[in-house]
Amino acid sequence: MTAVHLPDASDVPKGRLPRRVPVRQILCLLPLLLVAVVAVQHRAVLADGFAHLGTAEWPWLLAAVCATCLTWVAAACTRQGAVVEGLPKLRLLATQFAAGAANHLLPTGLGASAVNLRFMTVCGLPLARSSAALALYLLAETIGRLTLLAALLIAFPEALRLGTLIPEGAMGPLLLGAAALVLVAAVTLVVVRRLRATVISFLRTALGEARSVHTRPSRALALWGGSLAFPALQATVLVTVGQALGLPVPPLHMAVAYLAATVAVALVPTPGGIGSVEAALVVALVAAGGPAAVATAVVLAFRIITVWLPLLPGALTLGALVRWKVI
C-alpha cells in the first residue's frame, strides 16, 4: 500500500501565502454589502418614502428623476474642467455614478473623493496633480453652491425665516468655534515644519493646476458651469418633488431652502449626509413656510429619488469599475 504525503505548513515556501487572497473580488462585493447594511438600518425611512411616492403626481416625479440623472453629467463636466488632460468621457460619467453610491456609504465627501482620485491616477495623472484637481473641484463646487444661495437670498430675502433655523444665542458660539479651528490650524502649520512644507508644496501644485485649467476656456467653462449646474439641478429635484406632493411653497423659495440646508450640513461627517440632510431640509422647508407634515413627506420622497433608488445600481457600477480596473 503506497503512502500518500500530505503537504503541511512546512512545505509552503516562507513569505508566501498558500493561496492568493482575492482582494479585487472582495472589493467588488463590498459596496453591495454596505448597501444592504445601510438599507436595513434605514428600512423605516425607505418604507415611508415609498409610501409618499405612491401618492405623488408622476409627471413631476419623472422630471425629478431626469434632473437627478443630469446631476451626474454636471459632476462629470466639473471633474473634466478641473484637469487639462482629456478624460475618457463614458468612463468619467460612469465613475460619477459610482462615486455617488460610494459617497452615501462613507462619511460625506470621502467616498466620491476616493473614487475620483483613483480614477484620475489610473488615467495617468500623477497623485499630486490628481489631488490638486480634486481640491479644485471641491472649491469650485462650494463656490458655486454659495453663489447660488447668495444670489437667491438677495433676490428673495423673505424666502427663509432665519430665526427659525438658528437658535437664539447660537451664532456667537458658532463663530467662536470656527475662529478656534482656524487658530489651531494656523498654529499647527507654524509649529510642525514637515506639515507646513507638505501644505506649501500642495498649494503650489494646486495653484499651478488652476492656472493651467483657466488658460483653456473650454476647461474653465466646464469647471464653473458644472459647479453651478450641479447644485441648481439638485435644487430642481427638490422643487419638482415638492410640486408632485403639493407643498405650498414657491419653487424658488424651495430652492433657497435646499441650498441653505445643504450648506448648513456640509461639515456633518455622516455617510452621504444620511440623517442630517433630512432633518435640515425639513427645518428649512418649514422655515420657508411649508407645513411640517408635507415638508417631511417631500424630504423623504426627495431622498428616495436622489439617494436610495440610485444606490444599488451605483454600487453595482462601482463593483464593475473595480473589477475592470477602471478605478
Side-chain angles (χ1 to χ4, degrees):
M1 184 172 183
T2 305
V4 178
H5 174 69
L6 298 176
D8 54 22
S10 61
D11 297 321
V12 180
K14 293 183 178 180
R16 182 180 301 175
L17 294 174
R19 293 185 66 181
R20 185 178 178 183
V21 178
V23 177
R24 189 166 291 276
Q25 285 79 359
I26 294 174
L27 290 176
C28 291
L29 296 175
L30 184 59
L32 298 179
L33 177 61
L34 291 175
V35 168
V37 171
V38 173
V40 170
Q41 289 177 339
H42 298 85
R43 57 187 179 276
V45 174
L46 284 170
D48 289 343
F50 278 111
H52 290 303
L53 283 178
T55 63
E57 297 181 17
W58 285 97
W60 285 111
L61 290 184
L62 181 60
V65 171
C66 292
T68 301
C69 294
L70 289 176
T71 59
W72 301 314
V73 178
C77 289
T78 312
R79 298 284 184 187
Q80 176 60 84
V83 295
V84 175
E85 291 85 355
L87 300 173
K89 294 180 176 59
L90 290 179
R91 280 184 283 172
L92 175 60
L93 184 59
T95 301
Q96 301 321 300
F97 184 49
N103 211 39
H104 296 304
L105 300 174
L106 294 173
T108 304
L110 293 182
S113 297
V115 169
N116 279 285
L117 188 64
R118 176 63 181 168
F119 173 69
M120 287 186 286
T121 54
V122 169
C123 287
L125 272 71
L127 181 60
R129 290 191 54 216
S130 298
S131 302
L134 182 62
L136 180 58
Y137 168 87
L138 294 174
L139 177 63
E141 204 275 335
T142 301
I143 292 175
R145 191 175 296 269
L146 291 174
T147 300
L148 282 178
L149 177 60
L152 288 175
L153 281 176
I154 291 172
F156 305 97
E158 75 287 355
L160 284 180
R161 297 190 295 270
L162 295 178
T164 61
L165 292 177
I166 303 175
E168 186 177 356
M171 183 59 71
L174 286 175
L175 293 177
L176 286 176
L181 287 176
V182 172
L183 181 61
V184 169
V187 171
T188 304
L189 288 176
V190 171
V191 173
V192 184
R193 181 179 301 176
R194 181 174 296 181
L195 177 62
R196 183 171 68 251
T198 301
V199 171
I200 291 174
S201 175
F202 174 77
L203 289 177
R204 286 175 178 169
T205 303
L207 289 174
E209 193 73 15
R211 283 195 297 267
S212 300
V213 164
H214 286 87
T215 58
R216 301 187 62 177
S218 60
R219 292 291 185 265
L221 179 61
L223 176 66
W224 295 106
S227 65
L228 288 171
F230 184 75
L233 286 166
Q234 288 184 318
T236 300
V237 178
L238 182 65
V239 170
T240 52
V241 173
Q243 295 294 316
L245 292 173
L247 182 66
V249 176
L252 289 174
H253 291 198
M254 278 191 268
V256 172
Y258 169 79
L259 294 169
T262 52
V263 168
V265 301
L267 298 178
V268 179
T270 59
I274 292 175
S276 58
V277 170
E278 284 88 343
L281 279 174
V282 171
V283 172
L285 288 176
V286 171
V294 183
T296 302
V298 168
V299 171
L300 289 175
F302 168 77
R303 293 295 274 176
I304 287 290
I305 291 174
T306 58
V307 176
W308 296 105
L309 287 181
L311 195 55
L312 180 58
L316 290 172
T317 303
L318 180 60
L321 292 178
V322 171
R323 184 174 183 83
W324 297 334
K325 300 182 180 181
V326 175
I327 58 175

